[in-house]
């Protein structure tokens, strides 16, 4: 049979040990933040009812879901994101808990995206969902978590692209644009297809004056926050809903400034996100070198209610773990992955020594050394060269003589020295060797 008979499916990946090691490091920093900010980690199923995601996913994502009928004839979907699952989870398990509730997750997601650099059909997201507060300080907490994650991972050159979806929506609502058309238009904004979006608005009877305001608004972007806000104010002062949204954005920015959080924010008033459930701030995180976002989030005050729960406002952030790993590689960040642990290989050179090799291995593992037993029986010479090439620090050789004397032979693979000693003496030598 050809070894090429089975291949990984297009857009899906086998992850090699070195890749998993980096992903695990990123996951460990996300989990550290769960602990430090008080988020309780949960696990939800990979497979959910199709309707859960269909309701508010947005046109784009709706077409990119892996969906099928299960054997019970239910229409199901592999989760394309986790926020709807968390909203469902909250309704199913947490309604009686005092608010706010902070939930975290690390999960794989599936989207039938066109595969390219940084875009996979299975990828990993972390997540922080802060449920139960409508207040700007909740938004600030989520933004500061996104910022802190980047800092802790060692990034120095990154920014958060920020907008408040209520500003654009407020203008559209004032012009009586239906919710469906609003979603279509914002979906096009998300893909930077502004001209098409404007045409749709024109054909829906939106006034020229209003379209000019939108055109002016979506060009406002950058780091000069105060100036941009002033310009936005001038444009939207005749749209009350937009003004309310702007005031919310201003309150969030004010807390960030007064708290001296130093979050690198770039406002972008033309920025929209594909998901339809956002009601307040929306943001994405970018590094200087990477074109794709390494994380995204926003406020979703109506999602829990849409799923049949009470009105519970919420805001969240989902870092994309695969893209963070790519960004770490692009920036050349050295991760503090612990490679200091000593590695020991135990080579029984007679059959009688095999059980003893297991006993010795247990003692070395108890002492926290990475310990492997030779199970290949290739002979001492070959095993020693295998051990050196695999980065082992020590080999322990056990033959008939060692068994008889209740000793082992410890060989330092870097320096070549070897001693026949007791297991306890060997552990002390390996421990003391720095
Ligand atoms: P979203 O759920 O679209 O807000 O995405 C949140 C984050 O997940 C993005 O910023 C990306 O980092 C990551 N992400 C989304 N789609 C993909 C994908 N197809 N492949 C890899 N990462 C993705």
């Amino acid at each position: 049979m050809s070894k090429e008979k089975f291949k990984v499916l297009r857009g899906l990946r086998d992850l090699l040990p070195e890749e998993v090691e980096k992903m695990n490091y990123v996951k460990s920093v996300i989990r550290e933040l769960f602990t430090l900010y008080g988020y309780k980690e949960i696990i939800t199923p990979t497979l959910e009812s199709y309707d859960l995601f269909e309701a508010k996913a947005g046109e784009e994502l709706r077409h990119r879901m892996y969906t099928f009928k299960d054997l019970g004839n239910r229409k199901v979907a592999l989760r394309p994101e986790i926020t709807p699952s968390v909203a469902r989870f909250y309704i199913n398990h947490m309604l009686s808990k005092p608010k706010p509730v902070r939930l975290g997750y690390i999960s794989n997601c599936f989207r039938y995206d066109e595969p390219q650099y940084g875009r996979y059909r299975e990828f990993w997201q972390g997540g922080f969902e802060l449920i139960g507060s409508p207040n700007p300080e909740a938004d600030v907490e989520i933004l500061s978590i996104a910022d802190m994650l980047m800092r802790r991972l060692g990034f120095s050159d990154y920014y958060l692209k920020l907008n408040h979806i209520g500003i654009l929506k407020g203008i559209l609502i004032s012009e009586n644009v239906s919710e469906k058309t609003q979603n279509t238009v914002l979906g096009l904004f998300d893909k930077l297809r502004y001209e098409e979006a404007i045409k749709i608005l024109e054909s829906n009877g939106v006034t020229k004056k209003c379209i000019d305001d939108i055109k002016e608004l979506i060009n406002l972007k950058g780091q000069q926050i105060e100036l941009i806000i002033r310009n936005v104010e001038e444009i939207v002062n005749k749209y009350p809903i937009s003004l309310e949204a702007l005031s919310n954005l201003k309150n969030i920015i004010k807390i960030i400034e007064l708290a001296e959080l130093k979050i690198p924010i770039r406002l972008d008033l033309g920025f929209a996100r594909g998901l339809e459930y956002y009601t307040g701030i929306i943001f994405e995180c970018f590094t200087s070198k990477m074109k794709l976002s390494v994380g995204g989030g926003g406020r979703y005050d109506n999602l829990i209610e849409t799923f049949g729960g009470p009105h519970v406002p919420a805001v969240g952030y989902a870092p994309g773990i695969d893209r963070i790993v790519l960004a770490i590689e692009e920036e050349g960040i050295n991760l503090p992955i612990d490679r200091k642990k000593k590695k020991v290989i135990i080579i029984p050179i007679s059959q009688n020594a095999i059980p003893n090799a297991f006993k010795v291995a247990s003692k070395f593992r108890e002492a926290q050394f990475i310990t492997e037993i030779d199970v290949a029986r290739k002979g001492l010479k070959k095993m020693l060269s295998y051990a050196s090439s695999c980065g082992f620090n020590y080999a322990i050789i056990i033959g008939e003589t060692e068994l008889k004397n209740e000793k082992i032979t410890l060989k330092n693979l870097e320096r070549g020295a070897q001693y026949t000693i007791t297991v306890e003496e060997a552990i002390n030598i390996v421990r003391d060797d720095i």
Side-chain angles (χ1 to χ4, degrees):
M1 192 191 290
S2 152
K3 72 176 184 186
E4 291 292 317
K5 180 168 176 178
F6 293 114
K7 278 198 202 154
V8 84
L9 295 173
R10 186 168 139 76
L12 301 177
R13 295 161 298 158
D14 287 326
L15 294 166
L16 300 175
E18 311 81 70
E19 294 167 318
V20 174
E21 192 175 47
K22 286 183 197 165
M23 287 179 81
N24 281 345
Y25 177 74
V26 175
K27 289 179 190 176
S28 76
V29 178
I30 292 173
R31 289 204 164 96
E32 212 169 87
L33 296 193
F34 288 163
T35 309
L36 293 175
Y37 285 80
Y39 286 69
K40 297 271 178 278
E41 187 170 346
I42 58 165
I43 297 177
T44 58
T46 312
L47 204 58
E48 297 260 17
S49 91
Y50 170 78
D51 298 344
L52 182 77
F53 300 110
E54 193 269 343
K56 286 275 165 190
E59 216 36 47
E60 173 78 7
L61 204 55
R62 230 169 261 141
H63 288 116
R64 303 214 172 273
M65 274 197 259
Y66 281 88
T67 49
F68 57 95
K69 287 250 173 88
D70 71 6
L71 293 180
N73 211 27
R74 299 174 200 90
K75 193 166 182 194
V76 294
L78 289 176
R79 56 185 171 203
E81 54 148 345
I82 321 289
T83 304
S85 298
V86 177
R88 179 197 53 68
F89 179 98
Y90 177 80
I91 296 168
N92 293 161
H93 305 285
M94 308 238 119
L95 285 182
S96 61
K97 295 264 189 282
K99 291 194 279 277
V101 169
R102 291 176 167 86
L103 298 175
Y105 56 81
I106 291 181
S107 311
N108 54 345
C109 303
F110 301 82
R111 293 183 193 174
Y112 202 79
D113 275 331
E114 197 43 41
Q116 49 168 283
Y117 178 75
R119 202 181 289 287
Y120 313 109
R121 288 182 176 173
E122 182 187 20
F123 59 96
W124 290 78
Q125 278 188 352
F128 299 79
E129 311 287 354
L130 174 42
I131 301 170
S133 167
N135 298 321
E137 52 269 38
D139 302 72
V140 173
E141 175 171 310
I142 286 295
L143 290 167
S144 73
I145 287 173
D147 177 57
M148 184 55 78
L149 179 63
M150 296 306 277
R151 281 191 215 196
R152 287 216 169 200
L153 287 167
F155 289 98
S156 51
D157 208 355
Y158 63 92
Y159 62 93
L160 299 185
K161 181 159 86 174
L162 177 67
N163 193 9
H164 192 302
I165 204 62
I167 299 175
L168 271 169
K169 274 194 176 173
I171 301 180
L172 301 181
I173 291 169
S174 77
E175 290 285 297
N176 297 320
V177 175
S178 72
E179 199 177 334
K180 192 165 179 287
T181 309
Q182 286 177 38
N183 288 332
T184 309
V185 166
L186 294 175
L188 289 168
F189 276 18
D190 177 38
K191 288 185 231 133
L192 309 179
R193 286 157 58 182
Y194 294 113
E195 277 179 27
E196 272 170 77
I198 298 286
K199 277 202 184 109
I200 292 179
L201 290 176
E202 283 167 348
S203 68
N204 274 268
V206 175
T207 58
K208 167 135 188 355
K209 176 80 196 75
C210 181
I211 288 195
D212 287 345
D213 285 342
I214 292 176
K215 281 184 183 164
E216 216 179 311
L217 189 70
I218 62 183
N219 279 321
L220 295 178
K221 57 185 79 170
Q223 287 157 292
Q224 289 176 294
I225 311 283
E226 256 179 63
L227 177 69
I228 294 171
I229 296 269
R230 266 205 309 275
N231 290 336
V232 178
E233 215 147 30
E234 272 173 34
I235 299 170
V236 305
N237 59 19
K238 44 202 173 290
Y239 306 102
I241 301 175
S242 303
L243 268 184
E244 214 176 293
L246 179 63
S247 150
N248 177 238
L249 181 63
K250 275 161 63 179
N251 286 336
I252 292 164
I253 289 171
K254 194 158 150 202
I255 298 175
I256 291 174
E257 275 170 10
L258 292 177
E260 296 174 13
L261 290 172
K262 299 198 164 49
I263 303 175
I265 286 175
R266 291 195 195 172
L267 283 180
D268 184 340
L269 276 294
F271 160 54
R273 306 202 71 221
L275 304 165
E276 285 170 7
Y277 49 69
Y278 290 119
T279 52
I281 58 154
I282 49 169
F283 65 98
E284 279 179 357
C285 182
F286 288 89
T287 60
S288 57
K289 296 206 172 85
M290 190 130 158
K291 287 198 182 71
L292 300 164
S293 68
V294 295
R299 176 169 280 282
Y300 53 97
D301 284 351
N302 300 332
L303 189 62
I304 291 171
E305 205 173 348
T306 308
F307 290 165
H311 179 75
V312 182
V315 53
Y317 175 56
I321 294 169
D322 312 74
R323 287 198 197 154
I324 289 177
V325 168
L326 288 177
I328 284 171
E329 287 164 359
E330 284 192 359
E331 302 278 335
I333 296 172
N334 281 321
L335 296 182
I337 290 172
D338 186 12
R339 297 191 199 283
K340 281 195 221 103
K341 263 197 176 153
K342 305 266 175 42
K343 278 178 73 177
V344 175
I345 183 153
I346 302 181
I347 311 170
I349 50 174
S350 76
Q351 206 155 337
N352 286 337
I354 291 172
N356 197 248
F358 279 87
K359 286 188 192 164
V360 175
S362 296
K363 289 189 178 161
F364 270 80
R365 289 182 189 127
E366 262 166 46
Q368 297 301 317
F369 301 118
I370 299 167
T371 310
E372 288 181 25
I373 298 175
D374 163 34
V375 292
R377 294 198 196 173
K378 283 190 193 151
L380 185 57
K381 208 166 155 225
K382 274 199 180 152
M383 279 319 294
L384 287 175
S385 78
Y386 161 86
S388 294
S389 68
C390 292
F392 283 89
N393 308 94
Y394 285 92
I396 288 170
I397 301 148
I398 314 175
E400 291 298 328
T401 322
E402 283 87 354
L403 274 183
K404 206 161 60 204
N405 299 328
E406 296 187 2
K407 295 210 164 153
I408 57 163
T409 294
L410 177 75
K411 187 175 175 68
N412 183 322
L413 293 170
E414 284 140 29
R415 291 181 219 128
Q418 71 178 54
Y419 322 89
T420 300
I421 47 183
T422 64
V423 178
E424 285 69 31
E425 285 167 332
I427 287 175
N428 286 336
I429 289 178
V430 175
R431 185 180 288 129
D432 293 345
D433 176 15
I434 22 172

